[in-house]
Amino acid sequence: MRRFGVKYGSRVRPIILLFLLSLAASCTKANDVCLVGEIHITKGDAANRAKVSEIYYPGSDKEYVGLTQLIKGYLSEEILRSLGYKVDDAALEVEAKRIDDNTKAPDTLKKIMAVYGGDRKGYIKTFVRVVYAERFLYNEVFLKSREIHKEQYQKADELLKASIKSPGRFKDIAASMGMGSQRLRLSIKDGMVHIEEGGVGRRGSAQAQGIEQAKRLIDAVSTIKPGEVYPEVIEWREGYQIIRYIKKTGEDHIIESSGLQKMDYDKWFWERAAQIKVTIYDERLKDELLKEVDWTRKLNLNPNPA
């Protein structure tokens, strides 16, 4: 059909399409309680997550609890994306399999899956996705990034270089850098034993930990002579260590040790999270959230949710 020389259908179709798109957008928004970056959270999402929380912490099945857990998890995902990491369906399916295969609490996992019934999409979105984002961001990105911990590594490296030049002044050099030091006895049997003033063998003067860590350090000092400083910064999961070999006593080794923690994760997380806009559409829920959960005051909240 033509009207004024223009095909009527060619004008109507775009108008209908725009109407349908705006209707879909308004329906989505009506179901949303929150938007974290580009990730939508619906009332159903928050309700499901609250039920999961109840399994872990009886009495916590509140809507605001479910919402706070999702916000924290999705902030982790948005930080991953901002750093160039891809979070897609394939990665989440691999994570779901990892959870299935490695869970140490199969009964708890069954209860969690029962929350969702046959809703695989909901299970992935509000459980697996959160587990994946938080685990990957902390374990695979934060802990392993030399760039994030650049300041801490450089300080450890400065101590290393200075103490290699003057190994006899190891303790004084560490103290001058505000790092402190301690003597440790390394034992295959007992692990790492902190030697307090008064030496080894005095009741109550030693505290043991970390047999695997002790083995690693024994391997390190086996490559140097007594009195020398091990020529590398030793990196642990959450910190850096510099050691000086003192002597061998029987099967054990005595070392002088100094080090420092890597950057605080919470501090780093919120520096990144502060760049991500969070919109909470339900004012009642937002007020409850801010009242009950301290860290929500750190959120970059949209003051005018449309």
Side-chain angles (χ1 to χ4, degrees), residues 70-276:
L70 291 177
I71 289 173
K72 194 77 174 287
Y74 293 159
L75 282 172
S76 295
E77 181 175 323
E78 289 290 292
I79 292 171
L80 282 173
R81 292 186 196 281
S82 74
L83 295 171
Y85 291 89
K86 190 177 181 181
V87 181
D88 56 17
D89 292 342
L92 295 177
E93 286 298 337
V94 170
E95 182 70 4
K97 186 175 187 310
R98 186 196 67 80
I99 292 169
D100 290 344
D101 293 345
N102 298 309
T103 181
K104 291 182 172 62
D107 291 340
T108 299
L109 185 58
K110 281 180 187 176
K111 290 177 185 176
I112 290 169
M113 296 183 84
V115 166
Y116 300 91
D119 182 11
R120 175 80 176 173
K121 244 176 117 178
Y123 170 68
I124 294 291
K125 182 182 180 185
T126 63
F127 182 70
V128 174
R129 194 171 177 178
V130 170
V131 171
Y132 174 77
E134 294 184 342
R135 179 187 68 79
F136 194 87
L137 182 64
Y138 182 69
N139 291 336
E140 304 302 323
V141 178
F142 177 77
L143 288 179
K144 294 182 179 179
S145 170
R146 182 61 58 80
E147 184 59 33
I148 291 172
H149 308 290
K150 185 177 179 180
E151 182 181 331
Q152 290 77 16
Y153 179 82
Q154 285 179 342
K155 189 171 182 181
D157 192 50
E158 285 174 21
L159 171 59
L160 174 67
K161 289 173 180 172
S163 57
I164 284 175
K165 289 179 181 177
S166 303
R169 297 187 61 247
F170 184 92
K171 182 177 180 179
D172 293 336
I173 294 169
S176 72
M177 296 178 67
M179 293 171 67
S181 64
Q182 60 181 332
R183 286 203 171 195
L184 300 173
R185 177 168 60 87
L186 308 178
S187 167
I188 296 293
K189 180 183 175 182
D190 300 325
M192 292 191 299
V193 182
H194 174 218
I195 304 171
E196 296 181 1
E197 294 296 328
V200 180
R202 181 174 298 178
R203 184 177 296 276
S205 68
Q207 296 177 339
Q209 62 177 344
I211 289 176
E212 289 306 312
Q213 290 93 327
K215 287 179 180 177
R216 181 181 172 189
L217 295 179
I218 288 170
D219 288 342
V221 297
S222 297
T223 65
I224 59 177
K225 298 174 183 177
E228 292 182 343
V229 173
Y230 184 68
E232 294 178 18
V233 173
I234 299 170
E235 181 174 1
W236 298 100
R237 178 180 167 85
E238 295 181 351
Y240 299 108
Q241 185 179 20
I242 301 89
I243 61 173
R244 175 177 174 252
Y245 189 20
I246 305 298
K247 63 182 178 180
K248 184 176 181 182
T249 58
E251 295 300 313
D252 298 342
H253 300 262
I254 308 300
I255 66 169
E256 206 164 14
S257 170
S258 184
L260 69 167
Q261 294 291 309
K262 290 182 177 178
M263 183 176 185
D264 179 68
Y265 179 68
D266 199 55
K267 180 177 183 291
W268 176 81
F269 177 88
W270 286 111
E271 284 175 358
R272 306 291 309 194
Q275 301 169 37
I276 300 163

Side-chain angles (χ1 to χ4, degrees), residues 37-54:
E38 299 298 322
I39 303 173
H40 296 262
I41 301 174
T42 67
K43 259 186 116 54
D45 295 335
N48 280 337
R49 185 68 200 195
K51 290 174 186 174
V52 170
S53 181
E54 176 69 14

